[in-house]
Structures are given as structure tokens and as C-alpha cells.
Amino acid sequence: MHMLEVENLTKRFGGLTAVNKVNFHINEGEIVGLIGPNGAGKTTLFHLLTGFLKPDSGTVKFRDEDVTGLEPHKLVNKGIARTFQVVRPFRHLPTIANVMVALECPRGRKKIEWLKTCERKALEMLEDVGLSEMMFEPAENLAHGDLKRLEIARALATEPDLLLLDEPFGGLSPIETEYLTKSIRRMHLDGHTMIIVEHKLHALMKLAKRVIVLHYGEKIAEGTPEEIAKNKKVIEVYMGKAM
Amino acid sequence: MSLGDNALVDILLLETLLLYGAITGAVYALLALGFTLIYGVAEVVNMAHGALFMLGAYMFFAFSLAPKNPPLGIASPFALEPGLALIAAMIFVGIVGSIIYVLVINPVIKDVLASIVVTVALAIVLQQAVYIEFGGTHRPVLPFVSGSTIILGVTMTYTKLLAFGTSLILFAIIALFMWKAKIGKAMRATAQDREAAMLMGVNTTRICMLTMFISASLAALAGILIAGSTAQPANPQMWLTPLSMSFAIVILGGLGSIKGTFIGAFVVGYAENAVALLIPGGSFLKGAVALATMVAVLLIRPKGLFGKRIELEE
Amino acid sequence: MAAYVRRAYSSFLTHVIDIPPRLLSLLFLSLLACIPVIVSPTALSIYFLGVLITANIMAIFASSWDLLVGRAGQISLGHALFFGIGAYASALVLRYAGLPLWVTIPIGVLVGTLAAVPVGFPCLRVKGPYLALVTMALPLIATGILYYYRDYTGGEQGLPVPRFFPFIQNLYHQRVAEYYLTLLALLISAIIIYKIVNSKTGIIFVSILDDEVGAKACGINVTKYKLLAFAISALFASLAGSLQAPLIYLASPASFSLNLSFYAIIITIFGGIGTIYGAIAASYIIYFLDQYILTIPQLEILGTKILPLPTVWHPLIFIVVVIIFVVKWPRGIARFVVEDGLTELSKEREIEERGKHIWKKYKKKKQEATESTAEG
């Protein structure tokens, strides 16, 4: 059984077909890359997989259960979480509260108790991404790199099995990229399956065992990073037609 | 009563509906056009649009009062001819609109909550100001042309016909302006993409002020025409109904579409007249028609008939 | 200017005086509680107490609005709907079932809270200006229904409602009793709202205010929480409404008016939207201003009589002030609150208090964990 099965997924916006009969599957424990030029439909695909858009046709099956078109929060409860390409923290809340929103805080006997438990758990998640120093800082004061890490911490706080990362390396410095690569490896070891959309191909190829390529909403190639790098069609799509 | 009599009455009713609906639709089209324009160009939902409608009616009243009009207790130095008073009122309200835009709306244009609160607050300011100046009793807006004629067996006052004609002509003028005139094109550019227009050298703030001037004067004109042709007195609370009306029409026709606004206005105009004429005691329900339309559209097809802006999740 | 005053004031509190806001609220409350004791039973004091009683009620109403709009981000321009429902539900039960006030008021509150569900549902599907218009339209519809069934609801005249304490003969003592009753109601409401705002639910509300999409991505059932916000807000608004009716001996259609809805907005924005305590404090300030500063003193500038202002001008002045407030802080009204209101969560002394505590325990746990793995 595949963890995620996507069959003939299609989404149209007026005259534009953003995602066109896309088929693929994800197995437990994989890190799969999703690449393609801008406008290929990668983020749209993410929206479809996480319930923010309803597909026009096609199905999405998560662990053999049909989850096509379910509401976002229901999908999160089933174990699918995502980050966003453009960071969207909760600006008014301090960093720690940003994570607390996503946490499932079991109610203890006393109210004081479980709020503190919640905060403690949130702090651990912040530690994992290296943001614990900022815990009471309003999220809007954070630097871009920190916000990217916060996005991931928040997604992890929902305790997902499948994590969809949308351009997590966007705008990061080389050091931050290193750090994030290590974090993703650690998350992988912890048992998270991941689909990563990324333009920074060198960072992605280090992590992904399998890569899917989209172009104008269609899947044009699939394979290991080495295979994809040699694939003529993919090269054409990224570089333009050879002379 | 024989069958023949009944049939006559029915035809008369339908003809009344046909003609009255057209007039109402035309004037509503003007009102809603103003609303759509400022939404399209400045991306502002002007909750004070109905208040400008009201202000128009009141200013017409003020400009046309003769100094020797003691029974109403207000002296006015103007005493203009109805035609002049109308133009004066339109210009006055247009200027008020531009000032409101540049002082109050433009600074908060990016924040949806703030712009809504601020424009509603402005509407209330206008309500209070009108109340202070003119008092709370209803003020009659006199029809500017007396006399009537009979078309298809229905009595039509000249005022109503004038309202119809004026509305259509003005709508056509504005449409032409938007498409042919340079400034009109600048307005459309700003509506499509404010930043791109700025990069093209368009002074978007001035364009928005101009749009607001037009929007406000259209609202004022609609206020005068409706008050004059339906002999409804003006009162300080009368700004909510035209606001709901504009909303309903614009939502029905689709946000940002002028064609949609035009058609939506006639749909609502006819619906309202149908309710008033065909349902006994229906005139009380007129306001409800607008709201009901709006709710129905929002629930069934939020895009409206010709809507362009698609509400994506993000 | 007010922003600087406010910032100076809050940094004054945290750095110089170092009074935690709880203590300050306690002081304020004690002051309020002592007023009837200090004041002597004259006709003026009866009037004065009357003003304060109204302020108590409006504080409950305004803080309920602040919860819905300032914390959960649902723009409501017709909050008087719930106020009116509370007043009328209580009055109707009183008239037709003959039950006493202390039973009908909770019933009024219950009805008001339940009303939030049918009201909330259409409100959930719309955002921004559509929501604003729908919320403005609802009280109008309610008024229409009220007038249509005038035989049952008393139409424009309203429904008569008995006083709270008919057994107290002395008018002054009656006012004092009413004052303490409403003050108690305010205290309970404020505490409950405060607790909600500082709980996980409160945090979730703010997340919905900030970014609904992000909240959904965190697994929040946004619809459920929006309804919850409406319900809690409606609860306190209808409490305010059902408490007010016996004070004016009437459940009147004015309790659905747009002006009333706007009082909540004026008060809350004045006090700092999102802060809750701002709405409460501002209620007193506004009513004081309205009744005393604008009405009683005489002020002439350059020969023109400025004060007292005719009553008709008061709402205008306040609305203009609101406009100025909103415009002068174009970062947005809600942003204005970050420094003041939501810093409850991130204020310096809280950091020291809670941060140290959590950090210490956490470090200890980590140490123990590393020690045990080192041994094992």
C-alpha cells in the first residue's frame, strides 16, 4: 500500500488548466522532490493535496482512504501537514504561541497545568529548529530565515506523517541552507515522509531519493535525481530548446 | 366585473411594472455604477456610498430652497433653479467625496477592517451632520418638473421620465469616458493593477480622487432623482437602503464588472417594483428585496453574473 | 499623541511602578466599588450613579464586541442585535410566563447565546465588507420583525419591564443596589472573558484574526472557532441587554439601533481594540466625557461658546475621534493593539515570570535526559 496515491488529479481555473491529470504515489518514509519551472502547478498541487482547493476531477488517497476534497483541518488531523511558499506566521502572536496553535494540547486536570504543558511542548519544537531564544518575540519581528524555521516547527507541531514543504530553502543563506538540510534529514530519521517543492536543485537533490517533474500542470518525468538530471525533456524545459 | 375588465387591469399592472421597473433600474444603475467604480479603481468598499446618496438629496433641497421659505424653518441663500440646484448638489457632494477619499480613505486603504470601520463611521458622521443641520423631520424633495403624461395607459410624471433619460445618458457618457478618454483609460489601468499603473506614470491617488468625485456625484444624482421622482422625503437614516441596494446590485452583477452592474441594476429594479406592485402591502418589503438578493447571490454564486475577481483561498 | 501617552503609560507600568496589570485592575475595581460609599445621597449623585451604571453595562457590551472583532477578527457592525435579543427575550418571558427577573435574565442570555448560531452561519461564509453589511442588516431585520408583531412585542413603545429592586423605596439606595449589581456582572464577565482570551482558545482566536488559511493549515477547525467566538460574544452582549432593560424599565427597539452598535465600536477603538481591558476602561472615560466634560463646564474661546456642547453633537465628536484614531495609525487598528493588548503574552515581566520558570524546568529535564543516556 502506498502512503499517498494521486490519480488523474485535475484543476482548472477558467480557461487555464493548472494541474492536468497528474498521477503519482508516495511511499512511507520517502523524501520525494517536486520540481518544475515557475507556473508548473506545484503549489496548486499542494493546495489540492491539503484541501485548500477542490479538484475538478481525480482522486487523492491517503493510506487507502479517499481524502479527495476534504477540508484542510481534517487532512491535518489525518496526518498531512504543509508549509507555505511565502511565510505566513501569526503576526500578533509570539513565536511560541505560533507553535501552540498547531499543538494538540491534552487537557490536564488543572487549566494552569496544561497551558504550561502546552508551552513546554511548544518550546521543545522550537528547540528542534533552533528558535527557542525567540520564544516570546512577536512573530512579526523575526527575520526571514527564522520565519521559515517557524513554518516548519508549526507544521511539525501537528504531528504529521506526511509533510509537504513548499520551497523551504527559499531566501536562505548557505549556512541556513546547511542547517535546514540537517534538520530535514533529522525529521526523516524521526519517521516523517516528505514531499518537497524546491527550486534550489542542489539542495533538493541531496535529500530526495525520487524526483517528480511538472510542466504546465503535467507530470513529464519521474526518477532518481541522477536520472532526472540527464533527462532530455527536463533539461529542455528548464533550459529551453537546444539549438 | 366581467372577464374583460380583469384582463385590462392585469395588463395595466404589467405595463406599470414594465415602465416603473425600467426607471428604477436606470437610476439604480447610476447609483451602483458609482459604487462599482470606486471599488474597481481604488479597491475600496465605500460604506458611505449610501450616505453620499442621502447628502445629494439634502443638498439639492438646500440649494433649491427659497430664502422666504419659513414653514420649513431653514433659510437658504441659494434658491437655485432645479436644474442648477441639481448640478450644484452633484458638484458639492463630488467634492466632499474627493476630500473624504484623500483625507480618510487613502491612508487606510490597505487595511480592510480599518477601511470598513472608517467608511461606516463617515456615513454616521454625515448622518449626524445632516441631522444637526436639517433636523430629524423628513424633508420633502420637490419634483423638479411638474406634470405628467400617459404612456401605454400608465401615468408617468415628467420627472420620472426625466430621471430615466438622465440616468441612461449619464451612464453612456461615463462608459464612453472610461473607454475613450485618456483619463478614463488611466482609471481602468489603475483598476487592473495599481502598481503597474503607478509605474506607467499614472498618479493613482489623483485618479482615485477623481473616481471618488464621479462616484459621489453619481450617488448624489441618484439620491436626487429617486427622492424627486418617488416623492419620498429625505431623512437622516436613509443611507442604509441605498447602500444595501448598491451592494446587492454589484454582487449580483459581479464585482468589478460595469456590464454586470448595469444588468444587475435592472434586475433589482424590476424585482423591487414587482414586489411592491404584485404583493399586497409589498412596499414595506422593498428594502428586504435588496438584502434577500444579496444573501441569495452570496450563498449560491458568489461570483455574481459577470464577476471577474475569483476568490481564491489565499 | 495618544499613542505616545499610552506607550509611556505602559512602560511606566512595567519599568517604573512595576505594577502588574492585575493589581492595577484590582485598584481600579476597588475604586469603582467604593464610589457609592464616598458619595453622598444627593440628587446629583443619583444622576452620577446612573451614568456609572450605564457605563458598567456598556463595558460588558463593548468587551464582548472586542472579543469578537479585536480578538477573533470577525467584523460585526450590528452587535446591538444580541443586546436587543437579550433584552427582549427576557422581557417576553417575563410578560408571557410571568417569571421573575432573576429567572428571565438568564433565559435572555441563553436565547442570545443560542441566537449566535443561526446568525453566525451566514456570517461564516462571508468576509470583510460583506460580513460588515450582513451584520449591519441583521438588527434592521430584527426591528422589522419587532414592528410586524407589534401586538406581542409592543412595537415602537417597547415592553415594560419591572425594576430590579422594587422593594427598595429610596431612589438613591435603589441606584446604589443597581450599581453594585451591574458592577458584579461586569466583574464576572471581565474575568471570564479574560480567562478565555488567555487560554488556548484565545490564542486560536488570534490566529484566525491573523491568518485563517494558516490556522486551517495548523489543523484548526476555523468554522467551529468562529461560531464559538460569536457565541461567547453574544452571551455577554445579551447579558448587557437583559440587564439594561430593568434599569430603564423598558425593553425598547432602540436596543437594536445602529447607534448602540457604534457605541461599542467607539468605546473599544478608543480603549485600544483587542485589549479587552481597554474597552472596559474606555467605557467609563467616554461616559464621563460625554456627561461631564462636554455638558457641564463652560468654555469660551475667542468669544465663541465651545462648551457645553448640545447633546446632538456628542456622537458626532466621538465618531470623528474614532476616525482620527483609525487614520492616524494606518498600520491598522488591530496592529495598534500589538504594543498594548497582545503583549499580555509577551510583556517583559511575563517573560521573566514564565520564561524563567519554563526554561529552568526544561533545562533540568534535558540535563536529566543527557545524564541518563550517558549512564546507559
Side-chain angles (χ1 to χ4, degrees):
Chain A
M1 177 191 69
H2 300 297
M3 188 189 212
L4 185 74
E5 263 178 61
V6 175
E7 241 177 280
N8 285 327
L9 206 57
T10 308
K11 181 68 185 174
R12 277 179 284 269
F13 293 114
L16 173 70
T17 309
V19 172
N20 197 355
K21 297 222 178 77
V22 169
N23 282 286
F24 65 92
H25 64 256
I26 309 285
N27 298 312
E28 300 261 1
E30 282 193 293
I31 298 185
V32 175
L34 183 61
I35 67 174
N38 274 317
K42 311 185 290 291
T43 303
T44 312
L45 183 60
F46 265 22
H47 288 338
L48 291 169
L49 293 177
T50 50
F52 287 97
L53 283 177
K54 291 208 182 1
D56 292 317
S57 61
T59 56
V60 178
K61 286 214 192 111
F62 184 62
R63 291 187 169 143
D64 267 353
E65 190 188 337
D66 191 344
V67 293
T68 323
L70 278 186
E71 303 241 329
H73 70 266
K74 292 214 179 92
L75 288 169
V76 171
N77 287 331
K78 293 213 184 283
I80 305 179
R82 69 169 296 178
T83 62
F84 291 89
Q85 196 174 339
V86 179
V87 288
R88 39 200 321 161
F90 300 121
R91 317 203 86 92
H92 285 111
L93 291 175
T95 310
I96 192 166
N98 266 263
V99 176
M100 280 164 76
V101 174
L103 276 178
E104 190 71 33
C105 296
R107 291 186 171 253
R109 301 210 102 232
K110 296 183 211 150
K111 196 131 175 244
I112 309 280
E113 272 311 310
W114 69 254
L115 194 60
K116 297 237 158 88
T117 320
C118 211
E119 283 173 344
R120 217 171 298 140
K121 264 172 110 179
L123 186 58
E124 282 171 23
M125 316 233 85
L126 286 180
E127 263 269 308
D128 284 342
V129 293
L131 282 176
S132 44
E133 306 288 309
M134 316 271 189
M135 63 177 170
F136 282 119
E137 196 73 34
E140 59 176 1
N141 293 345
L142 258 54
H144 176 76
D146 294 337
L147 286 174
K148 279 269 187 218
R149 284 188 272 168
L150 182 59
E151 281 277 311
I152 295 182
R154 231 173 46 178
L156 285 176
T158 64
E159 289 170 25
D161 297 315
L162 176 63
L163 193 52
L164 282 78
L165 300 175
D166 200 343
E167 295 194 32
F169 292 97
L172 293 186
S173 69
I175 298 180
E176 289 169 328
T177 309
E178 265 279 321
Y179 187 86
L180 183 59
T181 312
K182 285 202 192 121
S183 300
I184 293 180
R185 285 220 179 94
R186 220 182 327 123
M187 294 190 306
H188 187 221
L189 285 173
D190 281 340
H192 294 106
T193 310
M194 286 180 262
I195 308 179
I196 306 181
V197 165
E198 192 45 66
H199 280 299
K200 289 192 178 165
L201 298 177
H202 59 275
L204 184 61
M205 299 310 189
K206 273 195 237 171
L207 291 165
K209 290 287 154 32
R210 195 157 55 99
V211 174
I212 299 173
V213 188
L214 284 186
H215 183 53
Y216 285 143
E218 290 177 10
K219 184 173 86 171
I220 61 168
E222 187 176 348
T224 64
E226 296 79 31
E227 291 167 5
I228 293 298
K230 293 196 205 123
N231 186 310
K232 263 204 213 144
K233 236 187 177 176
V234 175
I235 296 175
E236 241 174 54
V237 150
Y238 267 103
M239 304 295 181
K241 278 214 154 76
M243 267 142 335
Chain B
M1 261 199 283
S2 71
L3 194 65
D5 280 354
N6 266 343
L8 211 72
V9 169
D10 280 348
I11 293 179
L12 193 68
L13 207 63
L14 279 175
E15 287 172 343
T16 314
L17 178 61
L18 186 73
L19 294 171
Y20 278 23
I23 297 169
T24 315
V27 183
Y28 281 174
L30 273 190
L31 177 66
L33 179 65
F35 194 67
T36 303
L37 275 180
I38 194 65
Y39 176 77
V41 175
E43 272 191 58
V44 160
V45 176
N46 184 10
M47 308 290 275
H49 195 65
L52 294 168
F53 169 98
M54 168 189 77
L55 191 64
Y58 269 102
M59 289 320 292
F60 176 75
F61 169 75
F63 281 130
S64 53
L65 267 184
K68 43 179 166 50
N69 225 331
L72 296 169
I74 298 179
S76 154
F78 294 107
L80 297 172
E81 292 286 329
L84 283 179
L86 187 133
I87 296 180
M90 277 177 73
I91 295 181
F92 181 85
V93 177
I95 294 178
V96 168
S98 306
I99 295 178
I100 287 178
Y101 176 79
V102 82
L103 281 183
V104 175
I105 299 179
N106 200 34
V108 294
I109 209 164
K110 297 219 174 65
D111 184 344
V112 180
L113 173 62
S115 64
I116 292 172
V117 172
V118 136
T119 42
V120 178
L122 281 169
I124 297 189
V125 166
L126 287 172
Q127 171 192 302
Q128 291 297 110
V130 154
Y131 180 75
I132 291 174
E133 183 60 35
F134 297 99
T137 50
H138 298 187
R139 298 292 172 191
V141 175
L142 300 164
F144 7 91
V145 185
S146 50
S148 56
T149 179
I150 301 191
I151 300 180
L152 292 180
V154 179
T155 315
M156 299 279 283
T157 60
Y158 282 134
T159 318
K160 278 197 164 68
L161 288 174
L162 199 70
F164 182 72
T166 317
S167 305
L168 287 186
I169 292 174
L170 215 60
F171 201 98
I173 292 178
I174 303 247
L176 224 77
F177 175 73
M178 295 280 284
W179 257 260
K180 303 290 178 171
K182 195 166 167 196
I183 300 186
K185 289 188 185 168
M187 279 166 68
R188 280 164 53 220
T190 315
Q192 283 183 13
D193 189 334
R194 195 170 176 143
E195 275 161 4
M198 267 198 276
L199 290 172
M200 296 292 129
V202 173
N203 186 336
T204 45
T205 309
R206 266 204 217 138
I207 293 287
C208 288
M209 277 176 74
L210 177 66
T211 312
M212 194 66 199
F213 179 88
I214 297 175
S215 168
S217 27
L218 286 178
L221 180 61
I224 300 169
L225 290 178
I226 289 189
S229 62
T230 58
Q232 253 170 14
N235 74 83
Q237 262 88 27
M238 69 188 260
W239 57 274
L240 261 168
T241 316
L243 180 65
S244 322
M245 209 66 77
S246 312
F247 247 94
I249 293 172
V250 164
I251 289 175
L252 176 64
L255 273 171
S257 160
I258 294 190
K259 179 172 65 177
T261 307
F262 191 72
I263 296 182
F266 279 94
V267 171
V268 172
Y270 272 102
E272 197 185 82
N273 277 285
V275 164
L277 286 172
L278 301 175
I279 299 179
S283 37
F284 281 108
L285 296 172
K286 274 208 286 196
V289 170
L291 288 175
T293 319
M294 187 176 72
V295 170
V297 172
L298 282 178
L299 291 179
I300 301 172
R301 191 192 154 97
K303 243 196 311 189
L305 294 171
F306 301 99
K308 286 185 208 153
R309 302 234 166 111
I310 307 170
E311 302 259 340
L312 205 70
E313 260 293 348
E314 276 181 297
Chain C
M1 224 284 286
Y4 296 127
V5 171
R6 209 159 301 179
R7 266 177 223 162
Y9 166 73
S10 59
S11 58
F12 180 64
L13 282 185
T14 52
H15 294 280
V16 180
I17 290 193
D18 203 30
I19 298 177
R22 269 163 235 160
L23 188 55
L24 197 74
S25 336
L26 211 66
L27 279 173
F28 184 58
L29 198 73
S30 331
L31 178 67
L32 282 182
C34 292
I35 288 181
V37 179
I38 304 173
V39 168
S40 55
T42 62
L44 243 151
S45 334
I46 293 179
Y47 180 68
F48 177 58
L49 280 177
V51 172
L52 283 180
I53 292 172
T54 313
N56 287 344
I57 301 274
M58 291 308 289
I60 301 177
F61 185 51
S63 52
S64 78
W65 190 83
D66 198 12
L67 177 70
L68 183 64
V69 184
R71 287 280 167 155
Q74 307 305 302
I75 306 173
S76 166
L77 297 180
H79 213 52
L81 176 72
F82 298 114
F83 190 93
I85 288 182
Y88 270 90
S90 165
L92 284 169
V93 171
L94 208 134
R95 187 188 207 198
Y96 292 106
L99 294 170
L101 265 181
W102 60 268
V103 174
T104 64
I105 288 184
I107 294 181
V109 173
L110 185 66
V111 173
T113 313
L114 291 175
V117 176
V119 165
F121 262 110
C123 291
L124 293 175
R125 312 198 51 165
V126 295
K127 287 190 196 91
Y130 308 113
L131 180 60
L133 201 73
V134 169
T135 53
M136 268 207 293
L138 289 170
L140 292 177
I141 297 177
T143 318
I145 297 176
L146 218 63
Y147 290 163
Y148 191 71
Y149 291 106
R150 60 186 66 238
D151 298 325
Y152 300 100
T153 65
E156 290 94 342
Q157 326 281 42
L159 280 174
V161 172
R163 298 168 286 168
F164 275 118
F165 307 105
F167 42 84
I168 300 181
Q169 300 300 341
N170 185 323
L171 185 61
Y172 176 74
H173 290 139
Q174 216 179 76
R175 282 276 177 269
V176 171
E178 288 169 349
Y179 176 73
Y180 278 121
L181 179 67
T182 49
L183 192 62
L184 184 66
L186 172 62
L187 182 64
I188 297 176
S189 309
I191 290 178
I192 297 179
I193 293 183
Y194 186 75
K195 287 245 175 282
I196 291 175
V197 149
N198 282 329
S199 69
K200 177 123 188 283
T201 310
I203 295 179
I204 293 179
F205 282 160
V206 179
S207 74
I208 295 178
L209 166 77
D210 272 338
D211 183 14
E212 260 187 60
V213 170
K216 284 185 193 165
C218 288
I220 307 288
N221 185 343
V222 169
T223 308
K224 175 174 112 180
Y225 278 92
K226 278 190 189 174
L227 267 179
L228 187 64
F230 264 101
I232 299 175
S233 178
L235 197 154
F236 290 106
S238 49
L239 175 66
S242 38
L243 283 177
Q244 200 224 27
L247 294 169
I248 54 174
Y249 316 143
L250 187 69
S252 87
S255 45
F256 285 106
S257 66
L258 183 69
N259 281 319
L260 183 64
S261 300
F262 252 73
Y263 280 152
I265 301 179
I266 294 171
I267 292 172
T268 308
I269 292 187
F270 212 75
I273 192 170
T275 60
I276 309 287
Y277 59 78
I280 297 176
S283 176
Y284 294 97
I285 299 176
I286 296 267
Y287 273 92
F288 229 76
L289 277 177
D290 190 44
Q291 294 296 321
Y292 289 97
I293 310 293
L294 294 180
T295 341
I296 294 180
Q298 309 266 2
L299 181 63
E300 266 192 44
I301 298 183
L302 299 176
T304 27
K305 210 172 188 192
I306 307 270
L307 293 174
L309 265 177
T311 330
V312 140
W313 281 84
H314 293 190
L316 185 65
I317 300 284
F318 285 122
I319 297 253
V320 170
V321 170
V322 164
I323 293 179
I324 296 175
F325 266 51
V326 172
V327 171
K328 275 213 72 188
W329 288 279
R331 296 199 324 133
I333 328 175
R335 269 77 177 152
F336 178 50
V337 103
V338 178
E339 281 93 288
D340 298 358
L342 291 164
T343 25
E344 288 296 323
L345 289 168
S346 54
K347 210 175 357 213
E348 282 183 30
R349 70 177 350 269
E350 297 263 353
I351 292 175
E352 289 163 36
E353 243 185 88
R354 281 151 73 168
K356 269 198 213 141
H357 159 84
I358 298 179
W359 193 245
K360 249 194 299 189
K361 280 201 172 175
Y362 177 71
K363 276 273 169 244
K364 209 166 76 168
K365 274 229 171 116
K366 252 214 144 160
Q367 233 182 351
E368 289 166 8
T370 40
E371 277 168 19
S372 57
T373 45
E375 286 168 24

